Amino acid sequence: MAEQNVLSPLEKERSLADMALIEKIAKGFMVESEEDMTPGYKKALLTQLTVQGDTELLSAPAYYLASRDAPTINSRIAVTAIVHDELGHANIAYRMMEDLGVDKHQLLYGRQPHEFKHPYGFDQPLENWAEMVVANGFFDRAGITLLGDVHQHTSYGPLKRALVKVDREEILHLRHGESWMKRLAKAGGEVREALQRAVDWMFPISLEWFGLPDDLKRHSGQLDYQLKG
């Protein structure tokens, strides 16, 4: 006879609490602190914030190294400002995790490289100015799309408010990338060819940011709790 899955009293209690919270959120309830959360909600939120923080953090060295090929000192200063923004965005996510009991020092210095959670694109070196601006044009576009969705739909109040600043700064990064992509395209010759090579390998990697279809996602709790839409 097949063994049946029987929930323990604690599991039943948590399941009922989760269903009650999901129902409250569906009616417009905003979670403001850990006291409002169930363990399931907190776990899903921490997973999402880890990806958000790690992605912002790992963009900084990629952009910094590519900025060494900037055509002018002003161009490099512009990318330095973008790096500053990205590190600030990472700190926002990590600071929220710290409020939920996570050791921020451990997040930054205690993990092995494979333990960071970020899109595959930032595992690739950005080696020239064309790749730098395409990263702004494609990766930041993907980031704006994903974080804009979180800002619109998230049930976690502190994150919703924090993303107002993040979204505005990411739009500036996107404009930087798109304006430079247009300039390089109009330049023609080897400059345009370098841009095309960057687009050819970076566009497919940009699609990876969006992950699996909803029915194949492993972290469906983020949808159940309306942490994103």
Side-chain angles (χ1 to χ4, degrees):
M1 185 175 181
E3 184 178 342
Q4 294 182 339
N5 292 324
V6 179
L7 296 178
S8 69
L10 179 58
E11 289 173 329
K12 287 182 180 178
E13 182 181 343
R14 286 183 173 177
S15 179
L16 290 172
D18 275 328
M19 287 190 292
L21 179 58
I22 289 170
E23 185 176 342
K24 285 176 65 177
I25 290 171
K27 294 178 181 178
F29 177 72
M30 293 294 292
V31 175
E32 291 292 342
S33 67
E34 190 168 0
E35 288 69 29
D36 296 329
M37 301 177 189
T38 62
Y41 184 100
K42 180 179 177 180
K43 180 180 179 181
L45 175 62
L46 288 176
T47 297
Q48 183 169 311
L49 288 174
T50 300
V51 175
Q52 180 180 328
D54 288 356
T55 300
E56 302 282 14
L57 178 68
L58 269 297
S59 70
Y63 291 170
Y64 173 78
L65 292 174
S67 74
R68 294 180 299 182
D69 190 47
T72 67
I73 186 62
N74 285 340
S75 300
R76 187 162 195 191
I77 289 172
V79 175
T80 301
I82 290 173
V83 169
H84 182 273
D85 287 344
E86 302 292 17
L87 291 174
H89 300 169
N91 185 58
I92 288 172
Y94 293 150
R95 184 66 179 81
M96 289 185 188
M97 295 175 71
E98 192 173 42
D99 288 341
L100 297 173
V102 179
D103 184 343
K104 187 164 67 172
H105 189 275
Q106 167 66 22
L107 279 173
L108 289 170
Y109 303 110
R111 289 184 289 169
Q112 295 299 313
H114 70 275
E115 295 178 296
F116 284 79
K117 308 296 183 185
H118 58 279
Y120 183 61
F122 288 131
D123 283 332
Q124 317 307 312
L126 303 179
E127 297 179 330
N128 56 59
W129 186 246
E131 292 176 349
M132 173 65 237
V133 299
V134 172
N136 280 158
F138 284 177
F139 294 171
D140 283 293
R141 167 66 73 185
I144 288 170
T145 302
L146 293 167
L147 290 181
D149 170 76
V150 173
H151 177 246
Q152 181 179 353
H153 295 101
T154 187
S155 60
Y156 189 49
L159 180 56
K160 189 177 187 72
R161 292 188 290 274
L163 286 178
V164 173
K165 176 182 186 295
V166 174
D167 284 353
R168 287 174 179 170
E169 290 175 349
E170 292 291 356
I171 287 172
L172 295 178
H173 306 172
L174 173 63
R175 288 177 179 170
H176 178 264
E178 290 185 337
S179 64
W180 265 103
M181 288 173 72
K182 290 177 181 177
R183 290 174 68 176
L184 299 185
K186 290 179 180 178
E190 293 182 0
V191 173
R192 184 185 177 97
E193 290 174 5
L195 174 67
Q196 186 63 60
R197 285 194 297 272
V199 168
D200 289 345
W201 75 262
M202 296 177 75
F203 180 73
I205 286 181
S206 301
L207 297 180
E208 186 263 343
W209 283 57
F210 297 96
L212 298 168
D214 287 351
D215 61 341
L216 296 177
K217 288 187 186 299
R218 291 177 295 172
H219 303 296
S220 60
Q222 294 170 11
L223 299 175
D224 297 336
Y225 297 114
Q226 293 187 29
L227 291 168
K228 59 184 180 181

